[in-house]
């Protein structure tokens, strides 16, 4: 049980935490990275027989990047007495600064790509081997649950019904400007669904467990913490958070070989950026060489080429591998649900809990309670990842 300390005992820490919270409100990368003209550019790309290089347009930046950098690095971190907590906040400032640089350079080609590399990295050789290993498995078995037949409005009703198991309130928005079928905007507690997308029943199960069961759970757990950093995000949290989300798909029994292959194709696509591939090159790698149907190939290519080369997507597979092994070792999944946190900072989170500066998660992902996976191939694949 955490020993609750008075806020006054850690006033300098809370002041710095509050300052950073005010500064990061506009730094939601997903607000800026999704192109505004996907449909028209997709049409041009198909008409050109896949040779046209799409010219995407992006939302305008709503903050002064230089001023934000200056304010971040003006924080008096030396006032935080504990070395481990001070190091966490130093890492956080560098993380947020990197995200600002990403947003500032969206649409600027390789300049954005290099900033993305700094924030999200690129696949290792083991990651690429894991992806190729997954692509060997057969995913051709027919399942009616895989047929796309539900509109965005019908998906909204499904999400509403699923969410009754959690007692938090969030917004649902339907948008045309989305490269994914759905996403959560952490800073506004909003789920966004793509208007033009047709959802299968399996995809609705995947998305509800992924977006609500994990991303929205960690959003609201983060908001319930004394320190705002749990809500705004610890450094490099994408890998852990996406790993948790895909692990919930596995545990709830809706993860499929096809879905796992999609994550593998994302790794292959992100690796193509490292090789200098343009949009057409990556699309032809997926559609021509790997025989992925053109809409799926376009979707994955769009995800990794938006902004100028967005490398985040390789982290879903490595995150799943890490969380799967973490859970198999009977480690505490609850500590990873305390907010937008990272596996590498578990000891720091536990220290904050012991000091009364963090609390146990208010919400717990219900998919983690019982393993409903019935596909032995999935277990075999996840156990075999390097």
């Amino acid at each position: 049980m955490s020993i609750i300390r008075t806020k006054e005992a850690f006033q300098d820490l809370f002041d710095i935490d509050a300052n950073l919270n005010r500064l990061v409100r506009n730094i939601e990368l997903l607000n800026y990275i999704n192109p505004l003209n996907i449909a028209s550019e997709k049409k041009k790309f198909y008409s050109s027989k896949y040779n046209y290089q799409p010219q995407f347009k992006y939302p305008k930046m709503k903050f002064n990047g230089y001023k934000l950098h200056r304010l971040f690095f003006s924080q008096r971190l030396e006032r935080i007495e504990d070395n481990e907590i001070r190091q966490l906040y130093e890492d956080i400032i560098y993380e947020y600064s990197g995200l600002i640089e990403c947003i500032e350079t969206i649409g600027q080609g390789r300049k954005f790509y290099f900033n993305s590399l700094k924030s999200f990295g690129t696949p290792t050789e083991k990651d690429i081997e894991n992806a190729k290993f997954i692509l060997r498995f057969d995913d051709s078995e027919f399942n009616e649950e895989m047929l796309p037949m539900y509109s965005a409005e019908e998906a909204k009703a499904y999400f509403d019904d699923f969410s009754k198991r959690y007692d938090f309130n969030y917004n649902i928005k339907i948008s045309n400007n989305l490269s994914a079928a759905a996403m959560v905007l952490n800073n506004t507690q909003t789920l966004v669904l793509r208007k033009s997308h047709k959802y299968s029943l399996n995809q609705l199960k995947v998305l509800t467990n992924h977006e609500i069961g994990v991303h929205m759970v960690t959003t609201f757990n983060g908001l319930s913490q004394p320190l705002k950093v749990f809500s705004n995000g610890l450094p490099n949290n994408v890998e852990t958070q996406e790993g948790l989300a895909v692990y919930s798909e596995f545990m709830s029994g809706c993860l499929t070989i096809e879905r796992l292959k999609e994550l593998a194709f994302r790794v292959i696509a992100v690796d193509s950026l490292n090789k200098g591939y343009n949009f057409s090159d990556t699309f032809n790698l997926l559609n021509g060489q790997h025989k992925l149907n053109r809409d799926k190939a376009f979707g994955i290519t769009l995800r990794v080429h938006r902004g100028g080369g967005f490398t985040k997507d390789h982290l879903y597979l490595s995150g799943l591998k890490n969380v799967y092994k973490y859970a198999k070792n009977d480690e505490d999944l609850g500590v990873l649900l305390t907010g937008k946190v990272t596996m590498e900072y578990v000891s720091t989170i536990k220290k904050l809990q012991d000091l009364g500066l963090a609390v146990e998660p208010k919400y717990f992902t219900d998919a983690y309670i019982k393993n409903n996976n019935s596909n032995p191939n999935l277990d075999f694949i996840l156990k075999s990842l390097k």
Side-chain angles (χ1 to χ4, degrees), residues 119-374:
S119 290
F120 302 104
T122 196
T124 63
E125 281 190 31
K126 281 186 179 178
D127 293 334
I128 296 161
E129 286 172 17
N130 286 336
K132 289 178 178 177
F133 170 69
I134 290 167
L135 294 179
R136 295 186 199 137
F137 286 82
D138 180 33
D139 64 343
S140 59
E141 187 177 340
F142 176 75
N143 184 338
E144 282 190 7
E145 286 197 359
M146 306 299 288
L147 294 173
M149 55 193 296
Y150 297 97
S151 68
E153 286 293 342
E154 289 169 318
K156 180 178 180 296
Y158 190 94
F159 273 92
D160 282 334
D161 186 60
F162 179 91
S163 301
K164 289 173 184 173
R165 64 189 72 185
Y166 300 105
D167 67 343
F168 46 64
N169 295 311
Y170 63 93
N171 308 302
I172 299 185
K173 178 182 168 187
I174 295 173
S175 171
N176 283 316
N177 304 318
L178 208 61
S179 55
M183 71 175 184
V184 164
L185 294 175
N186 179 49
N187 60 353
T188 57
Q189 300 89 60
T190 301
L191 171 75
V192 188
L193 300 173
R194 192 165 86 222
K195 187 175 183 178
S196 61
H197 190 73
K198 282 289 184 186
Y199 299 82
S200 70
L201 180 57
N202 174 263
Q203 190 175 33
L204 289 177
K205 290 178 179 179
V206 163
L207 290 171
T208 46
N209 281 283
H210 184 114
E211 303 292 351
I212 306 302
V214 172
H215 290 327
M216 207 61 86
V217 160
T218 55
T219 289
F220 282 94
N221 281 341
L223 288 169
S224 72
Q225 295 289 346
L227 294 169
K228 302 297 183 186
V229 69
F230 280 87
S231 176
N232 294 321
L234 269 59
N236 307 313
N237 70 78
V238 169
E239 186 172 38
T240 296
Q241 294 299 308
E242 296 301 349
L244 287 167
V246 182
Y247 184 65
S248 78
E249 300 172 29
F250 168 76
M251 290 291 285
S252 62
C254 58
L255 184 66
T256 62
I257 300 290
E258 183 180 343
R259 166 70 168 157
L260 209 50
K261 285 177 124 177
E262 178 191 336
L263 303 185
F265 280 127
R266 290 182 186 180
V267 174
I268 300 296
V270 172
D271 183 54
S272 78
L273 296 173
N274 189 42
K275 295 174 178 174
Y277 282 31
N278 63 26
F279 193 99
S280 292
D281 295 333
T282 302
F283 175 87
N284 287 321
L285 171 67
L286 298 176
N287 175 250
Q289 188 173 323
H290 287 285
K291 309 302 178 188
L292 191 61
N293 82 57
R294 74 173 189 170
D295 284 340
K296 287 183 178 177
F298 182 89
I300 292 172
T301 304
L302 167 64
R303 286 180 65 98
V304 304
H305 277 275
R306 56 186 164 159
F310 193 30
T311 63
K312 169 194 160 188
D313 270 10
H314 79 96
L315 295 170
Y316 287 69
L317 187 58
S318 57
L320 172 61
K321 175 196 74 174
N322 293 341
V323 170
Y324 179 84
K325 289 183 177 174
Y326 180 91
K328 285 294 180 187
N329 289 331
D330 289 324
E331 300 285 356
D332 178 17
L333 285 167
V335 72
L336 301 181
L337 296 172
T338 50
K340 303 299 180 184
V341 306
T342 312
M343 204 177 281
E344 288 73 18
Y345 289 92
V346 164
S347 65
T348 308
I349 296 164
K350 288 180 177 177
K351 181 175 195 173
L352 291 169
Q353 288 175 335
D354 289 340
L355 291 169
L357 296 170
V359 296
E360 299 291 326
K362 182 178 179 181
Y363 303 102
F364 190 82
T365 303
D366 66 348
Y368 296 161
I369 296 168
K370 182 186 174 187
N371 187 349
N372 286 311
N373 172 59
S374 58

Side-chain angles (χ1 to χ4, degrees), residues 1-7 9-10 13-14 80-86 226-227 347-359:
M1 184 70 184
S2 298
I3 302 167
I4 304 300
R5 304 287 180 87
T6 61
K7 189 172 178 178
F10 296 95
L13 172 61
F14 277 95
I80 301 175
E81 293 180 10
D82 186 280
N83 289 337
E84 189 175 356
I85 299 172
R86 185 172 61 250
L227 294 169
S347 65
T348 308
I349 296 164
K350 288 180 177 177
K351 181 175 195 173
L352 291 169
Q353 288 175 335
D354 289 340
L355 291 169
L357 296 170
V359 296

